[in-house]
Amino acid sequence: MKKFSIITTFVTFLALILGNLVVATKSGDACGTTWPICNGAIFPDITNYHVIIEYSHRLMVPLLAMFTFINAVGAIIKHRERRSVLILAVMSLGMLVFQSLIGGLNVLLGTPPGFTTLDVTFSQILLLILVLLSYSLHTEKVELDRTSWSTINLSYRAFLIGFTIYMVQVILGAFFKHSAASNVMLDIPAIEYLTKSESIANMLYSLHWVATVVIFVAAIWFVIYASKFKYHVLLSWLYLISILLNAVVGFVIVVTGNVVVASSLHMILSTLTTVIGGCILGGYWFKLQKRTV
């Protein structure tokens, strides 16, 4: 069950990457509103790369739904006596339903401005839940003495604060882009606007960078303690590097005017950072324990 859960998480990651590409390349309307088929056809015209990207994403969604359903039901049947597994499995099913409904409405409504933020939010949360569910199925434990446990527990609390702010930042960044606030700030024309206020656009952008500083400080704190106690050393460094790369690519987007390549890379890095953060939390919550004697 643990291996299947990891595969399900990987499929979800691929689905999110495709979804990110749909948004970054503005391919959301390439298949029209005849969801889940494309422009009323099962085999649409694939000479347009927008159609290929959007239809690939649409085909990935049923696969993701099937894997998530089997993964959750299997986890419940085999490990229902473990409360954490049961809660995460049920949450994954609920989040899948919400994400599917939002994704479908996004297409049927013609991708209204700002609405894609909900799609991004539920997708990221679903991915995080699946990562945690995979870790909750682990049975091996790492025991720590009381002193080490107390110190590591403190460092993970700092990480949790930073990672929570990071997840909020992802949602804030998605709203900044999909509400066309980024277009307002960069003075780039948009077809639809949720807000045309330059002050609101600048405020969202400023909050985004303030959050980045807090997240970066928390990530450095965690690297120091992970290196000291030699647990999650690689993941802590990967998390810090991914945060830095996110900031660099975000800066490039502002300088270049939100080009497709930079925007796509930013979304991929954000999704990868969510996976890394989820692995750190999963390892802490489900693999570490305090030595009783």
Side-chain angles (χ1 to χ4, degrees):
M1 197 66 234
K2 184 172 65 177
K3 291 181 179 180
F4 187 83
S5 185
I6 294 173
I7 293 173
T8 301
T9 303
F10 181 71
V11 170
T12 306
F13 178 78
L14 290 181
L16 261 65
I17 295 302
L18 278 174
N20 289 338
L21 289 175
V22 169
V23 174
T25 58
K26 298 180 180 180
S27 302
D29 297 326
C31 284
T33 57
T34 55
W35 184 81
I37 57 178
C38 186
N39 294 322
I42 298 177
F43 302 102
D45 177 19
I46 57 174
T47 57
N48 187 332
Y49 79 93
H50 290 291
V51 172
I52 296 175
I53 294 173
E54 168 62 6
Y55 199 42
S56 296
H57 181 245
R58 290 192 182 190
L59 292 177
M60 179 64 78
V61 171
L63 181 66
L64 168 61
M66 181 184 69
F67 270 74
T68 303
F69 180 79
I70 295 173
N71 183 53
V73 172
I76 292 172
I77 292 175
K78 291 188 176 182
H79 303 279
R80 55 182 175 273
E81 72 284 353
R82 296 165 63 180
R83 187 180 177 185
S84 58
V85 174
L86 181 61
I87 292 174
L88 288 168
V90 172
M91 286 178 65
S92 70
L93 286 175
M95 200 55 59
L96 175 66
V97 172
F98 277 116
Q99 198 273 335
S100 299
L101 287 174
I102 293 299
L105 285 172
N106 197 27
V107 172
L108 294 174
L109 294 175
T111 318
F115 196 83
T116 304
T117 305
L118 295 175
D119 196 3
V120 172
T121 300
F122 286 119
S123 297
Q124 291 287 332
I125 294 175
L126 173 61
L127 179 61
L128 179 60
I129 290 173
L130 289 174
V131 173
L132 294 176
L133 178 57
S134 297
Y135 272 87
S136 71
L137 296 171
H138 283 251
T139 55
E140 304 87 1
K141 300 291 183 181
V142 176
E143 292 190 342
L144 298 173
D145 59 66
R146 188 165 299 180
T147 303
S148 297
W149 171 262
S150 178
T151 307
I152 289 180
N153 191 39
L154 181 63
S155 70
Y156 272 95
R157 288 181 182 180
F159 169 79
L160 181 58
I161 292 172
F163 186 61
T164 301
I165 294 174
Y166 168 76
M167 294 299 292
V168 173
Q169 184 200 43
V170 170
I171 298 170
L172 188 67
F175 182 77
F176 180 68
K177 175 178 175 58
H178 301 302
S179 65
S182 60
N183 295 70
V184 173
M185 196 191 79
L186 297 172
D187 198 25
I188 298 174
I191 298 175
E192 294 180 288
Y193 293 89
L194 188 61
T195 177
K196 291 186 177 182
S197 171
E198 189 173 343
S199 59
I200 292 177
N202 288 328
M203 181 189 70
L204 290 173
Y205 182 73
S206 298
L207 286 174
H208 190 73
W209 278 102
V210 169
T212 299
V213 173
V214 175
I215 295 165
F216 180 65
V217 171
I220 292 177
W221 173 281
F222 185 68
V223 165
I224 292 172
Y225 276 90
S227 300
K228 180 179 179 180
F229 290 94
K230 294 180 173 52
Y231 189 75
H232 273 161
V233 178
L234 178 60
L235 283 174
S236 67
W237 276 104
L238 288 175
Y239 178 71
L240 177 61
I241 292 170
S242 67
I243 294 296
L244 282 171
L245 289 176
N246 267 302
V248 170
V249 175
F251 180 75
V252 170
I253 289 174
V254 174
V255 172
T256 59
N258 198 17
V259 295
V260 172
V261 175
S263 182
S264 301
L265 184 58
H266 189 54
M267 292 177 178
I268 292 172
L269 283 170
S270 297
T271 305
L272 186 60
T273 305
T274 299
V275 173
I276 296 170
C279 288
I280 293 172
L281 285 180
Y284 171 59
W285 284 338
F286 303 115
K287 294 189 72 174
L288 280 181
Q289 68 179 21
K290 182 167 60 176
R291 191 173 297 158
T292 54
V293 291

